[in-house]
Amino acid sequence: MMHIVVTGGCGFIGSHVVDLLAEGDYRITVIDDRRNGRYVSHHSNVSYIFENVCDVTPPPCDAIIHLANTPRVRASFDHPAESILNNVSPTVAVCEWATRFQCPLYFAQSSSVNFSDAYANAYTFGKAMCEEVLHFYNLHYSLDFHLMFFYNVYGPREADYGEHSTVIRAFKNQILKGDSLRVFGTGKKSRDFTHVEDVAMGVCNLVVAGKKIREAHFGSNHPYTINQIAEAFNHPVVYEFDRAGEAEHTICNEPYIKRSHDVIEYIRDWKGRLHNAESSS
């Protein structure tokens, strides 16, 4: 039975990856300090270590999926040290594991590094430094690593980071509170949104694939502007001053797998279920 270690496996993307892997003939060890994620799988082939990645060494394994990090560009403006350290330090730790166990490492990279200057914000800077760490271990210790680029992931279990949440989660929160949707800038920035189930399927396919690729991009190749996202929610909007440091546009030109979800349909379905719940209450 193949043993796979998943860091951040209690979080948004990680929990979906763990659930999907658990359906196969794999043994999974999740390492998560539960700082952000709270989800726990009840599959018998999944075990948990509720510790910081930097403080533990997992049992020998056949592959490592590294999803533990401090996300969100906007949050990194307010907490730069936390954003940088909580991305770079765990990456060094998993590189040590992978070289010790001589197993492949699958690293969750952000699409932001492809569309923003590395110094634009602390999050992008930290992620860029993580990639440098991977190349260092590859050069000197023959680390076998694979980059997984995620594009604005949305869907069930999406984490609530308050004012630093993703635009989809932030708009949901604002609607539930009865507030107007807050759009920063003109709303003309565009993003390639990807459903978490498509991402999880792509990650699992990459890990078990016979032929590996160095870079896998998990996006839809169908970007929408923030204005289009707001329009799909069909809710009052207020425009506020933008904050420099975010990319104007992101698009996944070569998706690793074909998308099975569309963000506009997802939003309309969510609004429909919300309306039905309110009507029946």
Side-chain angles (χ1 to χ4, degrees), residues 35-243:
R35 184 179 318 177
N36 297 315
R38 293 291 185 271
Y39 184 83
V40 174
S41 169
H42 297 291
H43 288 85
S44 60
N45 53 338
V46 181
S47 60
Y48 287 84
I49 301 174
F50 296 125
E51 299 286 348
N52 188 297
V53 169
C54 299
D55 297 333
V56 299
T57 299
C61 59
D62 303 295
I64 300 168
I65 304 174
H66 181 42
L67 303 173
N69 63 75
T70 296
R72 315 305 312 132
V73 168
R74 289 189 178 273
S76 74
F77 286 111
D78 298 329
H79 308 285
E82 177 184 356
S83 183
I84 294 170
L85 292 174
N86 287 346
N87 279 296
V88 176
S89 297
T91 300
V92 173
V94 296
C95 284
E96 286 287 314
W97 302 348
T99 54
R100 185 180 308 166
F101 301 143
Q102 296 186 335
C103 69
L105 171 62
Y106 301 87
F107 176 77
Q109 182 57 292
S110 170
S111 61
S112 299
V113 301
N114 293 327
F115 300 96
S116 297
D117 182 88
Y119 299 99
N121 57 77
Y123 175 68
T124 303
F125 176 76
K127 281 295 192 179
M129 292 304 98
C130 288
E131 194 165 326
E132 291 300 314
V133 169
L134 296 171
H135 284 289
F136 174 84
Y137 273 85
N138 172 259
L139 177 63
H140 293 284
Y141 304 100
S142 301
L143 172 68
D144 177 14
F145 74 89
H146 307 271
L147 300 174
M148 305 182 297
F149 291 86
F150 298 153
Y151 291 72
N152 299 278
V153 186
Y154 67 92
R157 304 177 198 159
E158 185 172 15
D160 184 358
Y161 294 102
E163 63 176 317
H164 300 309
S165 295
T166 65
V167 64
I168 302 296
R169 181 59 188 259
F171 283 176
K172 286 180 179 180
N173 290 347
Q174 288 152 19
I175 289 174
L176 293 173
K177 292 177 182 178
D179 298 335
S180 297
L181 304 183
R182 300 171 62 198
V183 175
F184 297 96
T186 64
K188 294 181 180 179
K189 289 181 180 178
S190 64
R191 295 289 182 266
D192 197 329
F193 294 91
T194 320
H195 195 280
V196 67
E197 291 178 359
D198 290 337
V199 171
M201 180 64 71
V203 170
C204 294
N205 284 347
L206 178 64
V207 172
V208 302
K211 184 179 180 180
K212 308 294 185 181
I213 61 174
R214 175 53 60 88
E215 295 187 6
H217 293 257
F218 302 101
S220 66
N221 192 27
H222 194 129
Y224 290 99
T225 66
I226 303 304
N227 282 332
Q228 288 175 306
I229 296 298
E231 290 169 5
F233 277 103
N234 191 27
H235 194 79
V237 174
V238 294
Y239 289 86
E240 301 183 4
F241 287 110
D242 200 3
R243 192 170 190 177

